Amino acid sequence: MPKKKDFILIGVLLVIALIGLGVTQFLQHQTGASVTITIGGEIYGTYPLDQSRTIEINDAKGYNKVVIENGSVHMADADCPDQYCVQHAAIHAGHETIICLPHELVVEITGGEVSDVDVVTQ
Ligand SMILES: [Zn+2]
């Protein structure tokens, strides 16, 4: 028969594990700080996530309109045939991406110190 103390120990370990998981997710959530746009594997530009702006990209592949507002990024417009990038939900956390495959364009949230909490309170 397991002793009552063992159950308490298991409970404590479980709580520690859950807290650890929560902290990890929280930290991952806080890493989003800049927006990097890559076209055909080359960096087109990097922009701070906490400053609203519209980036219009017109190149040989086509047209994309990336909008940064309220600490998140979305593809407002594009002339690609599939429109997947336009339909993609806005991104705001570390290493999330919006990819426009026909235009070989990737919008990625890259690391930094600005947290979502700061963005929300601004
Ligand atoms: Zn697209």
Side-chain angles (χ1 to χ4, degrees):
M1 281 292 282
K3 291 173 189 152
K4 196 179 170 187
K5 212 168 78 181
D6 292 334
F7 282 119
I8 292 168
L9 190 67
I10 289 165
V12 167
L13 287 174
L14 205 68
V15 167
I16 289 169
L18 285 173
I19 289 171
L21 201 71
V23 167
T24 305
Q25 284 181 346
F26 184 68
L27 289 176
Q28 279 174 349
H29 221 63
Q30 287 206 326
T31 55
S34 7
V35 180
T36 302
I37 299 174
T38 311
I39 300 170
E42 289 186 29
I43 291 175
Y44 176 86
T46 303
Y47 313 90
L49 184 63
D50 58 355
Q51 287 173 23
S52 296
R53 76 176 71 205
T54 300
I55 304 134
E56 290 187 276
I57 300 147
N58 238 323
D59 68 0
K61 299 252 178 223
Y63 171 74
N64 287 80
K65 185 177 176 184
V66 179
V67 174
I68 303 172
E69 61 182 358
N70 303 321
S72 67
V73 196
H74 67 278
M75 191 74 75
D77 200 7
D79 65 356
C80 58
D82 61 19
Q83 296 287 299
Y84 284 148
C85 56
V86 179
Q87 287 162 19
H88 197 290
I91 57 172
H92 60 93
H95 304 297
E96 282 187 309
T97 53
I98 296 175
I99 299 169
C100 182
L101 216 57
H103 296 169
E104 293 176 37
L105 185 145
V106 179
V107 180
E108 184 179 12
I109 307 287
T110 45
E113 302 303 322
V114 178
S115 72
D116 281 348
V117 177
D118 287 341
V119 170
V120 169
T121 52
Q122 272 172 5

